[in-house]
């Protein structure tokens, strides 16, 4: 039961087409909604030991996967500037 981050991010954004969310907001939703997958990720990591570190790791992974996700899913958009906000166009 591995955490599929790309699928979770896209699924969450598609449920909310009118909202623009930061990577942190998405990561916090993933942490709250997929507790088993998140705990398995925390257990398997040698660098992440607390829930706060896990959320920060999810934020970093979402941000680093952005270019690849946008190539595969053209409906995924981001705003310019910081913090970047993610949204889906219909």
């Amino acid at each position: 039961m591995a955490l599929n981050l790309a699928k979770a991010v896209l699924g969450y954004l598609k449920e909310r087409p009118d909202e623009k969310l930061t990577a942190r907001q998405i990561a916090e939703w993933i942490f709250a909604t997929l507790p088993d997958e998140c705990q398995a990720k925390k257990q398997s990591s040698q660098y992440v030991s607390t829930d706060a570190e896990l959320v920060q790791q999810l934020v970093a992974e979402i941000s680093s996967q952005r270019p690849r996700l946008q190539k595969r899913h053209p409906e995924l958009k981001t705003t310019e500037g910081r913090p970047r906000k993610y949204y889906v166009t219909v």
Side-chain angles (χ1 to χ4, degrees):
M1 161 170 71
L3 177 60
N4 186 335
L5 197 59
K7 186 175 174 185
V9 168
L10 282 167
Y12 183 54
L13 291 173
K14 283 180 181 178
E15 290 174 7
R16 292 159 180 74
D18 298 331
E19 289 185 52
K20 294 181 179 180
L21 303 165
T22 64
R24 177 157 302 279
Q25 290 171 311
I26 297 167
E28 288 169 350
W29 174 84
I30 289 170
F31 183 77
T33 309
L34 305 170
D36 295 338
E37 289 87 342
C38 288
Q39 291 308 314
K41 182 173 183 65
K42 187 166 79 171
Q43 300 273 322
S44 67
S45 173
Q46 53 184 325
Y47 301 109
V48 175
S49 57
T50 66
D51 290 348
E53 289 173 350
L54 178 61
V55 170
Q56 184 58 41
Q57 179 65 30
L58 291 172
V59 170
E61 289 180 19
I62 291 168
S63 299
S64 70
Q65 288 184 14
R66 180 189 54 81
R68 185 171 52 248
L69 278 173
Q70 286 183 304
K71 239 180 224 176
R72 274 197 219 136
H73 304 279
E75 69 275 15
L76 177 66
K77 308 285 185 202
T78 57
T79 59
E80 292 297 319
R82 303 282 184 201
R84 215 177 280 280
K85 294 194 181 219
Y86 296 76
Y87 62 100
V88 172
T89 57
V90 180

